[in-house]
Amino acid sequence: MTDVPDTPATPEARVDPRYSDPRAGAPPWREVERLIAEAELFWISTVRPDGRPHVTPLPAVWSSGALHFCTGPEERKARNLAENPHVVLTTGVNTWAEGYDVVVEGRAERVADDARLRELAALWEEKYGDFWRFEVREGHFHHGPGRAVVFSVAPRTIFGFGKGEPFSQTRWRFA
């Protein structure tokens, strides 16, 4: 999947000189957006009601300038988001000196419109294959006997970490 949907506005990039090689520059936003769109796995970080963190891997799709993920309504991450919708999703590579890592910070908003859910279900199947085929009804994804709620995270801030020569840290802020 190399076709990246348009983001509503291109965010301003700022390379942090404290954590970046002086030769480092911000990668083009379209390249970072492509990395997010093509990433197969994200790690989601939420906060339990008692303040302890909760982190788990999951697939996600990028559409209309936001990351989308789904989860069972009784799963820990869904229960956490009911109390505190602030979330971080990360993706990248498991190496020190090569690749690019991306951290997306935002607020998880429930998607319950069946027409929008059908669009997202088609994106999930296009990206991940038949295993991730969802039926949509009554504001949920349905897969076998289970149902899932879908969340959208429009980024407030995205951090990018270039690994290797030159190392870099870039921040994109969204309105």
Side-chain angles (χ1 to χ4, degrees):
M1 173 185 286
T2 57
D3 183 37
V4 178
D6 289 333
T7 299
T10 300
E12 180 182 344
R14 182 180 161 275
V15 174
D16 192 325
R18 297 172 299 172
Y19 309 112
S20 302
D21 185 290
R23 300 171 292 142
W29 170 244
R30 293 292 288 172
E31 176 63 18
V32 174
E33 194 173 29
R34 184 191 62 77
L35 288 172
I36 294 169
E38 292 180 356
E40 291 184 10
L41 186 69
F42 293 81
W43 291 87
I44 184 171
S45 301
T46 60
V47 179
R48 291 178 170 98
D50 66 5
R52 292 180 299 132
H54 177 260
V55 179
T56 189
L58 51 64
V61 297
W62 179 256
S63 175
S64 301
L67 264 175
H68 299 79
F69 65 91
C70 62
T71 184
E74 298 304 318
E75 289 188 43
R76 168 53 48 204
K77 57 189 159 292
R79 295 190 333 244
N80 292 347
L81 292 170
E83 297 288 323
N84 180 348
H86 298 282
V87 66
V88 175
L89 292 127
T90 63
T91 192
V93 294
N94 192 12
T95 58
W96 166 248
E98 63 183 10
Y100 203 80
D101 295 337
V102 180
V103 177
V104 177
E105 298 179 350
R107 181 181 177 94
E109 302 285 344
R110 172 92 191 277
V111 179
D113 175 71
D114 281 359
R116 179 65 177 140
L117 289 172
R118 280 190 285 281
E119 293 171 0
L120 292 170
L123 292 173
W124 246 279
E125 188 173 355
E126 177 185 333
K127 183 174 181 180
Y128 294 104
D130 290 346
F131 180 81
W132 292 95
R133 178 178 292 150
F134 295 109
E135 293 180 30
V136 173
R137 53 182 194 276
E138 299 172 356
H140 292 85
F141 277 177
H142 292 264
H143 187 257
R147 71 183 176 123
V149 291
V150 178
F151 291 93
S152 175
V153 179
R156 290 206 175 148
T157 304
I158 291 181
F159 291 97
F161 299 90
K163 300 185 297 187
E165 294 300 326
F167 285 90
S168 66
Q169 179 178 313
T170 304
R171 178 180 62 204
W172 291 267
R173 288 202 187 261
F174 297 77

